[in-house]
């Protein structure tokens, strides 16, 4: 799995790509901790910066690892320092088209999650990064639950255009994944991403 993250705080039409680490150079460059594929930032003409709104990307400089963004209106080291810790988002529509068989996590929002026998269990409302694994946030009759988005527990079913159409728990998924008590144990998760 690779990252391009969830919508936490970014709105349903935006995907969190990472957060600013601090200045890069003296002319306003700012380093980004990227949650996924750093090349997705290179293709963007604008980003949404937490507390700042939409800013034009003047230039993206590939680093190892990460990216340094040069944004319109940020031209000094002090200006870049002011962005430290703020989240960076992209409009879902602005993200580059993924390769065949690869999908962005925002494409999973609104899809149904079925059980191994095909019964509909709930709807995916988001994907979050819990650090050691990505979790689906599934809304169901008893509330919201976190379900690990990992093999062998969940499969992503693709449509004819190789885009996500639905998700299903496999027979290997542990019992009680949608138990409200289980969901309480994973509160506080952040990010998310892009997977294949």
């Amino acid at each position: 799995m690779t990252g391009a993250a969830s919508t936490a705080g970014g709105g349903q039409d935006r995907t969190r790509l990472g957060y600013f680490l601090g200045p890069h150079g003296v002319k306003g460059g700012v380093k980004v901790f990227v949650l996924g594929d750093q090349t997705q930032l290179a293709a963007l003409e604008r980003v949404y910066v937490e507390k700042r709104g939409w800013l034009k990307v003047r230039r993206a400089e590939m680093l190892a690892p990460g990216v340094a963004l040069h944004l319109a209106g940020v031209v000094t080291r002090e200006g870049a320092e002011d962005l430290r810790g703020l989240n960076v988002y992209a409009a879902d529509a602005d993200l580059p088209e993924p390769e065949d068989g690869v999908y962005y996590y925002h494409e999973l929002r609104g899809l149904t999650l079925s059980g191994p026998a095909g019964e509909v269990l709930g709807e995916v409302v988001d994907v979050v990064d819990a650090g050691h694994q990505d979790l689906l946030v599934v809304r169901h009759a008893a509330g919201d639950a976190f379900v690990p988005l990992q093999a062998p527990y969940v499969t992503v079913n693709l449509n004819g255009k190789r885009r996500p159409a639905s998700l299903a728990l496999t027979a290997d998924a542990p019992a009680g994944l949608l138990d409200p008590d289980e969901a309480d144990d994973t509160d506080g998760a952040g990010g998310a991403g892009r997977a294949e």
Side-chain angles (χ1 to χ4, degrees):
M1 290 185 197
T2 61
S6 85
T7 59
Q12 289 301 310
D13 62 344
R14 290 185 286 242
T15 295
R16 183 171 161 247
L17 301 178
Y19 58 89
F20 290 117
L21 294 170
H24 177 73
V26 295
K27 295 187 177 181
V30 59
K31 291 181 278 189
V32 179
F33 179 87
V34 182
L35 294 172
D37 181 0
Q38 68 188 40
T39 60
Q40 64 194 357
L41 278 168
L44 297 175
E45 295 181 7
R46 64 181 185 152
V47 292
Y48 184 87
V49 178
E50 180 182 23
K51 300 180 182 177
R52 297 290 181 96
W54 291 103
L55 296 177
K56 180 179 179 180
V57 177
R58 293 185 294 124
R59 183 171 51 119
E61 190 177 337
M62 295 297 131
L63 305 175
V67 175
L69 292 181
H70 298 265
L71 303 170
V74 181
V75 295
T76 64
R77 185 171 181 83
E78 293 74 24
E81 180 63 44
D82 289 343
L83 300 178
R84 185 185 296 271
L86 297 181
N87 290 309
V88 182
Y89 298 84
D92 292 345
D94 291 348
L95 290 170
E97 188 70 29
E99 299 170 17
D100 187 36
V102 176
Y103 56 87
Y104 288 109
Y105 282 172
H106 72 262
E107 294 180 87
L108 304 181
R109 289 185 229 130
L111 299 183
T112 58
L113 175 70
S114 300
E119 72 282 13
V120 174
L121 302 174
E123 177 185 339
V124 176
V125 295
D126 208 352
V127 183
V128 295
D129 179 359
H132 58 287
Q133 67 183 348
D134 296 317
L135 301 170
L136 297 170
V137 180
V138 179
R139 185 156 293 146
H140 58 98
D144 289 354
F146 291 93
V147 175
L149 178 56
Q150 65 184 47
Y153 304 138
V154 174
T155 57
V156 177
N157 303 311
L158 304 178
N159 62 23
K161 296 181 179 179
R162 310 250 329 130
R163 306 308 325 138
S166 64
L167 295 101
L169 291 180
T170 67
D172 294 327
L177 281 178
L178 298 180
D179 219 352
D181 294 333
E182 297 295 320
D184 292 342
D185 294 340
T186 56
D187 282 347
R194 179 187 137 174
E196 48 190 330

